[in-house]
Amino acid sequence: MDLRKLKTLIELVETSGIAELEIQEGEERVRITRALMQGSHAAPSPPPPTGIAPPAPGPAMTAPPEAAPPVEEGHVVKSPMVGTFYRSASPGAKPFVEVGDTVQQGDALCIIEAMKLMNEIEADASGTIKAVIAENGQPVEFGQPLFIIAQT
């Protein structure tokens, strides 16, 4: 899909009152979801100001729990974009999947927030969740492993 067209669609979602837009052209499919403020049922807020906001202060950096990714075998679900990884739809909500859960191709696994848009990441294979590699609330890179699915 053309990058200019994608940018136009993102701007459309940001400036309109719609919460989600999904478009399919041939085999390419794009879903743009707008993050809604919790507890707010009023009219949508105006679009955010242009420019890049500094990152919100977070907890102090600590050493990662593991120096290398787990050496588990199975299908690796990788991040399709750069953004922030979230295991659930909202803070305090139950994660989409846990280790040991059985998933089908197309099931929601997580959300990656990119440019204030929430992108639902779906399983690209069926099987059992063997490992959750990414940390909730942490940045992820394009192609970074997120989950390992033991295929059945």
Side-chain angles (χ1 to χ4, degrees):
M1 186 170 283
D2 181 37
L3 191 57
R4 286 173 287 168
K5 187 175 189 178
L6 189 57
K7 185 176 178 182
T8 303
L9 292 172
I10 291 171
E11 290 172 355
L12 172 69
V13 170
E14 287 179 339
T15 58
S16 70
I18 62 175
E20 184 174 298
L21 174 68
E22 183 171 345
I23 295 182
Q24 184 167 352
E25 288 184 356
E27 292 195 16
E28 296 179 325
R29 187 173 112 197
V30 175
R31 180 185 305 167
I32 302 170
T33 305
R34 191 167 114 163
L36 300 176
M37 302 302 265
Q38 281 189 320
S40 172
H41 295 292
S45 60
T50 56
I52 299 173
M61 295 294 287
T62 58
E66 297 181 29
V71 188
E72 302 216 28
E73 291 187 21
H75 175 74
V76 178
V77 177
K78 296 180 180 178
S79 176
M81 65 189 68
V82 174
T84 304
F85 174 84
Y86 294 106
R87 293 191 59 197
S88 60
S90 62
K94 181 179 178 283
F96 288 104
V97 294
E98 296 281 2
V99 173
D101 287 355
T102 300
V103 295
Q104 299 298 318
Q105 186 172 352
D107 287 355
L109 297 176
C110 65
I111 290 177
I112 295 181
E113 177 185 8
M115 298 190 305
K116 301 199 184 249
L117 293 175
M118 300 298 177
N119 303 282
E120 193 173 272
I121 308 304
E122 298 175 348
D124 53 1
S126 297
T128 303
I129 300 293
K130 197 169 185 182
V132 179
I133 301 169
E135 291 292 323
N136 191 45
Q138 296 300 308
V140 293
E141 297 293 326
F142 173 79
Q144 178 177 335
L146 304 175
F147 298 91
I148 295 179
I149 298 176
Q151 294 181 297
T152 52

